[in-house]
Amino acid sequence: MQTRTDGRLVRGDQTRRAVLRRAVDIASVDGLEGLSIGRLAGELEISKSGLFAHFGSKEELQLATIRAARRIYVDAVVEPALAVEPGFGRLWRLIESWLDYSQRRVFPGGCFFAKVSHEFGARSGPVHDFLVSVDREWLGLIEQCAAEARAAGELTADPTQLAFELNAFCESANLASLLRDEIDTVFSRARQSVRTRLEAAATPGATLPWA
Amino acid sequence: MQTRTDGRLVRGDQTRRAVLRRAVDIASVDGLEGLSIGRLAGELEISKSGLFAHFGSKEELQLATIRAARRIYVDAVVEPALAVEPGFGRLWRLIESWLDYSQRRVFPGGCFFAKVSHEFGARSGPVHDFLVSVDREWLGLIEQCAAEARAAGELTADPTQLAFELNAFCESANLASLLRDEIDTVFSRARQSVRTRLEAAATPGATLPWA
DNA sequence: AAACTAATAATACGACCGTTCGTATAGTTT
DNA sequence: AAACTATACGAACGGTCGTATTATTAGTTT
């Protein structure tokens, strides 16, 4: 056994990390099915069998890839928002972080979850179920932030409805940015929609974060 | 050569139609890559080589599948709206038709174009380009309907911005309906968002189609 | 240094992929 | 009836897929 660091084997864990880092990038462009073990091993210049041994099955690799993507997503989108105190400001920061996450291509294929959720949306099985739970987490978080802002008296709007709409703007901007050349135009249009929607939802007289 | 009917060969054309009808359904669930020639031939109980001969390449099959899906889409969504006279009513009908098209699963995997646009959004090539052009058509149509309503004095809003937002509600409802159990809830929430947005955009005093 | 174990590699397998080829059939044209 | 063409078929190709088995390397422990 290797020297342990926090309960994980060093050598194997490093390989695993390297594999997953590459895997999320590939999957964000070509999907979790397009993510083939042979291709992944080829790009990393390791053996297919050695890579396979880390996961035991393709499905396990896919699930591990989603977990890895989720971690990156949390770092890029959720954490920056949680650093802001609850209320209108946090809600706005959350959406702003998301748009930034998509726009600056944290994953080369745009939002990882938009991609693979569409890939597995109409199927069944563990991968689908996992993606459903991540989606629930995400929408729940927006909703919770909206509810906090409402509790603070900064917002008058149904949190569920508002969360649906803000998330819709994000998703739609992400796809449009993949299909159009003028990426910046797409995102500034989305930001405009977000601002307008939040202004309409804000309690009259409340100070708006972008003002 | 077979007896001709309107310039098309009868026997071969029937097969082609049957293939494409099945192809769009498969692709809406498993994508245009998941759409394999062997599987398609198997389900239709015809030979793989015979099917292949109709298209000459996988990519041609994919393009033909998109064309077929576009026809179905136009019939289900665009035509019903064009039957309404230009203005606020047509714009509303267009969006309503779309939500209905997704909700009643004209394609078993939800919106065909949402699915395959995400599949090919981050790639390049003829399939990507075709999907881009279809997306442009669609958003252009919403925008045009909004512009007509504005010209008729029924609406005060930037058509581009409004089109982006309405389309976002549609796309987002489609995905959410694939990931959640409560499909009807999802769509009634989307309809609520559409109505509210259109009310805000309407010229004061205008009669609203759903009232 | 020997024993042990975790990590990686080599090799092979059957299944399916898109594609090609040669051939048979069926319907049309002359 | 003969020539021709569209359509479909079965078999096979090289390649890649996910997976299993077996061997080899590297690192730790004793």
Side-chain angles (χ1 to χ4, degrees):
Chain A
M1 208 181 291
Q2 319 286 131
T3 49
R4 287 167 173 275
T5 307
D6 194 15
R8 316 197 93 153
L9 303 178
V10 166
R11 197 158 64 108
D13 198 54
Q14 277 184 350
T15 305
R16 219 186 125 95
R17 279 171 193 277
V19 168
L20 291 175
R21 187 162 318 143
R22 182 68 66 114
V24 293
D25 283 355
I26 293 179
S28 84
V29 173
D30 293 316
L32 287 169
E33 299 288 7
L35 175 71
S36 88
I37 295 169
R39 175 188 173 185
L40 194 48
E43 290 193 13
L44 291 165
E45 292 179 313
I46 63 175
S47 73
K48 202 168 79 153
S49 51
L51 192 158
F52 182 81
H54 278 277
F55 303 96
S57 74
K58 168 106 189 227
E59 190 172 83
E60 250 321 305
L61 168 63
Q62 292 175 327
L63 292 169
T65 302
I66 299 174
R67 279 192 291 270
R70 182 182 171 283
R71 261 175 258 127
I72 296 172
Y73 184 85
V74 167
D75 282 354
V77 180
V78 179
E79 292 298 342
L82 295 186
V84 179
E85 58 185 18
F88 205 106
R90 175 181 284 186
L91 175 61
W92 179 75
R93 185 60 203 278
L94 185 65
I95 302 302
E96 186 56 37
S97 293
W98 199 99
L99 291 170
D100 193 53
Y101 143 84
S102 173
Q103 183 171 15
R104 71 172 212 267
R105 296 283 187 258
V106 170
F107 299 109
C111 176
F112 174 94
F113 291 96
K115 172 86 188 179
V116 301
S117 293
H118 277 90
E119 188 180 6
F120 281 85
R123 299 186 215 178
S124 54
V127 174
H128 167 95
D129 295 347
F130 192 6
L131 291 169
V132 167
S133 82
V134 172
D135 185 65
R136 279 216 170 87
E137 270 189 294
W138 167 243
L139 259 156
L141 179 62
I142 309 179
E143 211 171 314
Q144 184 193 320
C145 289
E148 284 167 356
R150 199 157 105 126
E154 302 172 315
L155 197 123
T156 60
D158 174 21
T160 304
Q161 199 74 23
L162 183 58
F164 167 79
E165 297 180 14
L166 293 174
N167 183 55
F169 296 154
C170 290
E171 283 178 2
S172 201
N174 177 72
L175 177 59
S177 76
L178 292 170
L179 298 180
R180 319 219 153 240
D181 310 312
E182 334 90 16
I183 301 188
D184 293 346
T185 308
V186 165
F187 280 103
S188 69
R189 182 145 53 229
R191 286 191 167 87
Q192 177 61 49
S193 291
V194 169
R195 270 202 308 274
T196 305
R197 183 66 187 89
L198 285 180
E199 276 167 13
T203 304
T207 40
L208 306 174
W210 55 85
Chain B
M1 208 179 291
Q2 317 289 128
T3 49
R4 287 166 174 275
T5 307
D6 194 15
R8 315 197 94 156
L9 302 179
V10 167
R11 197 157 63 108
D13 197 53
Q14 277 183 349
T15 304
R16 219 185 125 96
R17 278 172 194 276
V19 168
L20 291 175
R21 188 163 316 144
R22 182 68 67 114
V24 293
D25 283 355
I26 293 179
S28 83
V29 173
D30 293 314
L32 287 169
E33 299 287 8
L35 175 71
S36 88
I37 294 168
R39 174 188 173 185
L40 193 49
E43 290 192 14
L44 291 166
E45 293 179 312
I46 62 175
S47 70
K48 204 168 74 153
S49 52
L51 193 159
F52 182 84
H54 277 277
F55 304 96
S57 75
K58 168 103 186 228
E59 190 172 84
E60 251 321 306
L61 168 63
Q62 292 174 328
L63 292 169
T65 302
I66 299 174
R67 278 191 293 269
R70 183 183 169 282
R71 264 175 256 127
I72 296 172
Y73 184 85
V74 167
D75 282 352
V77 181
V78 179
E79 292 297 343
L82 294 187
V84 179
E85 58 185 16
F88 204 105
R90 175 180 284 185
L91 175 61
W92 179 74
R93 183 63 203 277
L94 185 67
I95 302 302
E96 186 57 37
S97 293
W98 199 99
L99 291 170
D100 192 54
Y101 143 84
S102 173
Q103 184 170 15
R104 73 173 212 267
R105 296 286 186 255
V106 169
F107 299 108
C111 176
F112 174 95
F113 291 96
K115 172 84 187 181
V116 301
S117 293
H118 276 90
E119 188 181 4
F120 281 85
R123 301 187 212 178
S124 54
V127 175
H128 167 96
D129 295 347
F130 192 5
L131 291 169
V132 167
S133 82
V134 172
D135 185 66
R136 280 214 169 86
E137 269 189 294
W138 167 244
L139 259 158
L141 178 63
I142 310 178
E143 211 171 311
Q144 185 193 318
C145 289
E148 285 166 356
R150 198 156 106 125
E154 302 171 314
L155 198 124
T156 60
D158 175 19
T160 303
Q161 199 75 22
L162 182 58
F164 167 78
E165 296 180 14
L166 294 174
N167 182 55
F169 297 154
C170 289
E171 282 178 1
S172 203
N174 176 73
L175 177 59
S177 75
L178 292 170
L179 298 180
R180 318 220 152 239
D181 311 311
E182 335 91 14
I183 300 187
D184 293 346
T185 309
V186 165
F187 281 103
S188 69
R189 181 144 54 231
R191 287 191 168 86
Q192 177 61 48
S193 292
V194 169
R195 270 202 309 275
T196 306
R197 183 66 187 89
L198 285 179
E199 276 167 12
T203 305
T207 40
L208 306 174
W210 56 84

